[in-house]
Amino acid sequence: MSLAGMVGVVSAEGESDPTLARNLAATCANCHGTDGRAQPGPGMDALAGGDADRMMQKLRDFRSGARPATIMHQISRGYTEAQLQLIAAYFAARK
């Protein structure tokens, strides 16, 4: 699925896309599990139900290079701050 196809934040009527956060978060499923419910294991955090502010800090640290990663530093740079906030809020709301 193309990220360009998912980034339409505003519809023609000017309303927010209600599925945007879910669509952006879907890109995390390969590593963090469906809906952020990763299987326990080394290095793979479950995201569902996590603290949104803490997730945002981790994402910012990945983006800046302050937090070491194999791929998250590249992935996090592909999103705007607003998109990362949508993703963090989406996973925080999953219980």
Side-chain angles (χ1 to χ4, degrees), residues 32 35-38 45-59 84-95:
H32 293 281
D35 215 15
R37 290 172 173 77
D45 294 342
L47 303 175
D51 180 71
D53 291 332
R54 187 170 180 194
M55 280 187 254
M56 279 304 298
Q57 188 56 55
K58 285 182 179 181
L59 289 166
L84 291 175
Q85 288 172 345
L86 282 172
I87 292 168
Y90 175 83
F91 283 123
R94 303 288 148 255
K95 300 295 179 191

Side-chain angles (χ1 to χ4, degrees), residues 17-40:
D17 179 351
T19 61
L20 179 60
R22 183 194 69 203
N23 292 344
L24 292 171
T27 62
C28 308
N30 283 339
C31 298
H32 293 281
T34 303
D35 215 15
R37 290 172 173 77
Q39 295 298 313

